Amino acid sequence: MLRPVPHDRLSGLLREERGLTAAEAIARRIRHGNNDIIETPPHRWLDLVRDTARDPMLWFLVGVSGLFSLLGEYVEAVILLAALIPLVAMDGYLHRRTQASTEGLAGRLAARARAVRGETIVDIPARDLVPGDLAIISSGDSFPADGIILSGAELQVDESALTGESYPARKAPLPGASTSHPAVEDRHWASAGTRLLTGEARLRIAYTGGETLYGEIVRSAVAGSHARTPLQTAVAGLVAVMLVTALVICVALAAIRLHQGHGWIDALVSALTLAIAALPEEFPVVLAFFLAFGVYSLARRQALVRRAVAVENIGRVTCICSDKTGTLTEGRLTLAHQVPAEGMSPDALIQLAALAARGDSGDPLDDALLQAGAPVSVAERLSVFPFTEDRRRETAIWRMDDGSCRAVVKGAPETVIAMCAIDVADAERWRGQINGFAMTGHKVIACARRAVDEAAWPGGEPDKGYTFAGLLVFEDRVREGVAEAVATCRAAGIRVIMVTGDHPMTAEAVGREIGLGGGSPVVVNAAETAADTDGAMLGSADVIARAAPMQKLELIRALQSQGEIVAVTGDGVNDVPALQAADIGIAMGERGTRSAREVAAIVLLDDNFRTIVRAIAEGRQLFLNLQLSFAYLLMVHIPLVLSAALIPLLGYPLLYLPIHIVWLELIIHPTALLVFQNLPVSRRLLPVERNGPPRFFPRRAWPLMGFVGAAVTAVVVLGYGYALTDIQNVEHARAVALSGLIVAGATITLVLSGLRSTAARLIVAGSLASLGLLVQVPALSALVHLRPLHLTDWSIAIAGGVTTGLAALLVRLALKTRPRQPLPATAGRIS
């Protein structure tokens, strides 16, 4: 893994042990700001109180308690006020937990740092560090910012906060010979939020504050939790409709109770109780909670979320258009073979190609050439005609040390051959060798030269009359684990298309190696897709070769028109249109330009295709967990609202009193928020439904959830009617009905979660324990207007609750979506 080096900040500082002067530090602080990696809100507790006060349940209790006080029912009023304590505590805990994933990270950051200022070592607040500072990190200390390690021995670093990897990472100082490179290896790099375990290191600070990797993760988590996504908008609309409906029903219920001869107090309490039971405040809270958790969870998978909508969409991806170089491969070209033309030595061929290379181009091929070739004694480079996707070559004009003038070109073999004076037979022989190397996955460039009459040269690029000099063959190894990741995608019904500017045969060899098309990839030349009016060619393609950036944009639009949810990778400014057009734009964090990172929804921190697959797996599990949470809310709210409305409408005494609603909400809130959030990611990438427009729930799930809700309603209402032999038995009847509802809710939770998380086990056990205590302990049951049950009552309530709760198995099965196409017999696992 490589890290970019900001040479504009560190110029002249990588080889030196000197620190910044006070004046330099001040100037840099003005330019880059303080090293505030986590911005702590100035009024955290005030924000927490304000968020907690938004819970309508609190104001419901306060209002009803005041109503009972006015009527002289002081015991009831006190009980309702006492119920505020656990409710406020739970609400505060849940709101606080949404902040904990970001604010809790501050504990891993250094508060103070030792830095060299001038010739003196000073102890300063970590927020005062600036890019260019030389920090001294002792064993046990946290790194205060991101930077390059200049000195230290036997260095081991705990990077678990960023990578989740529990084993220490070994680090080493940057060799002096590497200081001019645009990027350094990860073993020479240290990040804020990690801790030095052994040794003492000197760190040249490169990035501070929000520019650090740690800071980007935190800020993305915060932004992701506040940005409004399409699903949040849809949920807000659903909540609005439900609120209006609940209001109408509540007014109707109050009027009917008055018409039935009940007093206005009964009518008011009936309406208020139904209102709070029907209020769907959990839905937006759960969604915001899951989105914030998803942002941080994906960051731990090395996928930095920059747009909250990515948390929703990443799990629905059906097609990945991936670059080859650096994503599927290591992105490090090494010279493997030299094939010089007659009369040219291998060393001379490399030196010739190096003349057409530039050290400041950022092109890994240029870097490989300059590393492989010995320096040539030349006088002056007169002109450069750089490589572009259209030209597919780079030409340089040199005045040599002997006074002669020479044009040198390197580039795509077919382009260079066309510029040479070469007979047909030789051209075919060279093309045969090019195809042979390309078939084994190598990158081949051709080189040529020609003399230039400087006096007669008009200043343009010579485009013919060259003498062919030979071929240089490079290799870029496939990244470890990519083949397994591609197999995982195929098993889950996700198309993987490699989009590359390479020769079709080179692209086919790499595609074959990583398993595209089951090992027999269909390769399409990008130029041919323009004539693919019916999409048949694109529909079967596994590899798009010779693709220019704008052709990538057209490819994405064509795939989207076929119903695909497309994720696309990109790293350059010319990839910006494609990244913007994709459903999920994924920029490369290591080698990507700032423009690409700014428009992308996700930034890969390690530029690895395997990370994309891991992020999709995380996104799909997160989406399934959110579906399970919403399904639970619907299947519990349906019987709660229906029974709260039906029983009073039938003229019976109220089933739920305000204290009962509080009790039920103390079970429903933490279940929806905590039980389903941390369900473990499946080792297999879950398949996705590809037919029709995306839906939050599959069509088949809606009637099943309605059936479960209706069945639980029947258990509650019938249990209440069975136990209500006369008006004196209303507390007994309430106990039977509530027991059936709570047992059904616990069974639904068990079925949907599989008790695969600690929260699930604790909350199910806690809800059943509260039922036993508040019903069977006479002193407690009297406080909540219930009466202890007999064995027969318990048998009826438990049998009804368990039976109807088990019907949630049908919903659980309905949420397991299937892909449109049949899957291979062997499904890939997430590595």
Side-chain angles (χ1 to χ4, degrees), residues 384-445:
V384 174
F385 303 91
F387 182 93
T388 67
E389 294 292 341
D390 294 331
R391 289 163 35 79
R392 308 199 62 78
R393 66 181 185 270
E394 179 154 350
T395 306
I397 311 295
W398 286 91
R399 183 188 295 123
M400 311 304 289
D401 55 358
D402 61 2
S404 64
C405 192
R406 177 187 299 178
V408 180
V409 62
K410 66 173 177 62
E414 59 266 39
T415 301
V416 175
I417 289 175
M419 299 170 67
C420 294
I422 185 173
D423 60 45
V424 175
D426 280 347
E428 286 302 314
R429 180 174 59 83
W430 285 112
R431 289 191 182 99
Q433 294 192 60
I434 292 165
N435 291 340
F437 285 121
M439 290 178 66
T440 56
H442 290 84
K443 182 177 182 66
V444 185
I445 66 168

Side-chain angles (χ1 to χ4, degrees), residues 25 32 57 214 224 301 303 556 617 651 693 725 771 773 782 817:
H32 300 289
M57 177 65 73
Y214 207 77
R301 293 279 185 179
I556 292 164
T725 55
L771 176 63
L773 289 172
T817 55

Side-chain angles (χ1 to χ4, degrees), residues 314-546:
I314 188 68
R316 298 192 295 112
V317 166
T318 61
C319 179
I320 304 172
C321 293
S322 175
D323 289 334
K324 177 182 74 69
T325 304
T327 305
L328 298 174
T329 64
E330 293 179 350
R332 299 180 185 179
L333 288 176
T334 55
L335 184 60
H337 307 284
Q338 308 99 43
V339 187
E342 186 177 351
M344 176 76 66
S345 69
D347 288 342
L349 176 61
I350 296 173
Q351 290 179 344
L352 186 69
L355 290 175
R358 290 174 292 134
D360 60 351
S361 68
D363 188 334
L365 189 144
D366 282 0
D367 290 341
L369 277 174
L370 294 173
Q371 287 179 8
V376 181
S377 175
V378 294
E380 182 183 2
R381 183 165 56 191
L382 302 178
S383 187
V384 174
F385 303 91
F387 182 93
T388 67
E389 294 292 341
D390 294 331
R391 289 163 35 79
R392 308 199 62 78
R393 66 181 185 270
E394 179 154 350
T395 306
I397 311 295
W398 286 91
R399 183 188 295 123
M400 311 304 289
D401 55 358
D402 61 2
S404 64
C405 192
R406 177 187 299 178
V408 180
V409 62
K410 66 173 177 62
E414 59 266 39
T415 301
V416 175
I417 289 175
M419 299 170 67
C420 294
I422 185 173
D423 60 45
V424 175
D426 280 347
E428 286 302 314
R429 180 174 59 83
W430 285 112
R431 289 191 182 99
Q433 294 192 60
I434 292 165
N435 291 340
F437 285 121
M439 290 178 66
T440 56
H442 290 84
K443 182 177 182 66
V444 185
I445 66 168
C447 302
R449 68 189 189 280
R450 61 159 286 182
V452 175
D453 184 349
E454 186 175 358
W457 177 48
E461 178 190 15
D463 59 359
K464 58 184 177 181
Y466 285 82
T467 300
F468 194 75
L471 304 174
L472 292 174
V473 184
F474 299 83
E475 61 181 3
D476 180 13
R477 296 186 181 89
V478 168
R479 282 185 183 266
E480 181 182 357
V482 167
E484 291 79 2
V486 170
T488 299
C489 289
R490 282 178 52 80
I494 298 175
R495 286 186 66 187
V496 178
I497 302 176
M498 183 174 73
V499 183
T500 177
D502 283 348
H503 190 282
M505 289 189 175
T506 304
E508 181 180 6
V510 175
R512 189 167 51 247
E513 184 176 353
I514 64 177
L516 292 180
S520 301
V522 176
V523 182
V524 175
N525 195 303
E528 299 172 0
T529 60
D532 184 26
T533 55
D534 59 357
M537 184 182 299
L538 186 59
S540 61
D542 301 301
V543 176
I544 307 294
R546 290 300 192 215

Side-chain angles (χ1 to χ4, degrees), residues 95-106:
H95 280 100
R96 181 67 182 145
R97 180 165 174 173
T98 63
Q99 302 171 4
S101 63
T102 55
E103 292 180 7
L105 299 174

Side-chain angles (χ1 to χ4, degrees), residues 571-593:
D571 56 9
V573 175
N574 51 13
D575 286 321
V576 167
L579 291 171
Q580 289 178 317
D583 297 285
I584 295 287
I586 303 174
M588 303 296 105
E590 291 182 2
R591 69 180 192 276
T593 62

Side-chain angles (χ1 to χ4, degrees), residues 673-696:
L673 284 167
L674 302 180
V675 166
F676 304 103
Q677 179 204 94
N678 258 334
L679 294 182
V681 177
S682 171
R683 291 190 64 196
R684 293 184 186 275
L685 184 59
L686 300 174
V688 69
E689 185 67 63
R690 299 179 66 163
N691 288 324
R695 298 180 180 88
F696 185 77

